[in-house]
Amino acid sequence: MLRTIEITAELTGQRQSEQFHNLHWQPKLELSLDCFICKRTGRTTHFEHGEERAICTGDQRTEHPTAARISGFDVTHGQDRLTLRSLIDHWWAPFHDAKRDQPGSPLTDWVRLHAGYYCPQSQQTGSFSIQSNTVRPLRQACTHCTEPLAIDMQSPGIRLLT
């Protein structure tokens, strides 16, 4: 059955100055999904917006395409905040993970999101990621000039819609 997961996130504290770094969400993410194809729970699945399917990491040496994709990627820029709402569609069917002796689930509790920026001082790009299992607040700074970029105050939201 087709399932849809909503992922929301927000970065705050952006500065609008001559050192503006054009902070933006990158259209890719990793999500922990239970994969009914390889019948394993907690598989890191790689998504890129615009791709027809995602890539499940499977077991240690076996990646495979899976029936999942980013179906929505909405970014909102506020005066001092950058928000993201992404929708993930994925096919899911009940299964039992024999290696971990547990049933599969259509919902997840871990996501990694990526943000990018451009440093006007060094004229170079940079990026960082946030994920749901880190301690907050988390302050992000430019790796080139150390200018503060944003504060990650709250864990990304993960909600099963259908």
Side-chain angles (χ1 to χ4, degrees):
M1 69 188 87
L2 182 63
R3 297 297 196 157
T4 300
I5 295 174
E6 176 188 57
I7 299 168
T8 55
E10 180 177 80
L11 296 173
T12 59
Q14 292 184 67
R15 295 184 182 185
Q16 303 292 330
S17 66
E18 67 267 358
Q19 289 299 315
F20 179 65
H21 279 65
N22 191 26
L23 184 64
H24 58 278
W25 291 109
Q26 294 178 328
K28 62 182 181 177
L29 60 91
E30 288 87 36
L31 184 64
S32 175
L33 287 178
D34 292 357
C35 181
F36 73 92
I37 295 172
C38 60
K39 294 190 178 7
R40 294 297 314 277
T41 57
R43 301 293 91 196
T44 299
T45 307
H46 300 273
F47 292 83
E48 290 209 30
H49 190 237
E51 293 293 322
E52 294 179 4
R53 56 188 167 207
I55 303 296
C56 172
T57 57
D59 282 330
Q60 293 174 353
R61 291 167 277 168
T62 329
E63 290 186 348
H64 63 85
T66 189
R69 67 185 184 103
I70 297 174
S71 60
F73 196 85
D74 301 318
V75 175
T76 304
H77 296 270
Q79 184 173 359
D80 67 341
R81 65 187 68 243
L82 180 65
T83 59
L84 170 68
R85 179 178 182 259
S86 185
L87 298 176
I88 304 297
D89 288 342
H90 69 102
W91 285 98
W92 185 83
F95 70 92
H96 189 81
D97 184 333
K99 187 171 183 176
R100 293 185 177 169
D101 192 29
Q102 63 186 28
S105 170
L107 186 58
T108 183
D109 63 354
W110 180 85
V111 65
R112 179 183 296 130
L113 303 169
H114 300 271
Y117 59 89
Y118 177 78
C119 178
Q121 186 175 350
S122 69
Q123 298 184 354
Q124 294 182 38
T125 60
S127 64
F128 62 88
S129 65
I130 65 169
Q131 55 191 48
S132 54
N133 62 341
T134 55
V135 176
R136 289 182 169 68
L138 183 61
R139 296 179 186 332
Q140 301 291 343
C142 175
T143 57
H144 307 293
C145 70
T146 67
E147 177 78 15
L149 296 174
I151 302 169
D152 176 17
M153 296 293 292
Q154 189 174 14
S155 182
I158 304 171
R159 183 171 67 134
L160 185 63
L161 298 180
T162 59

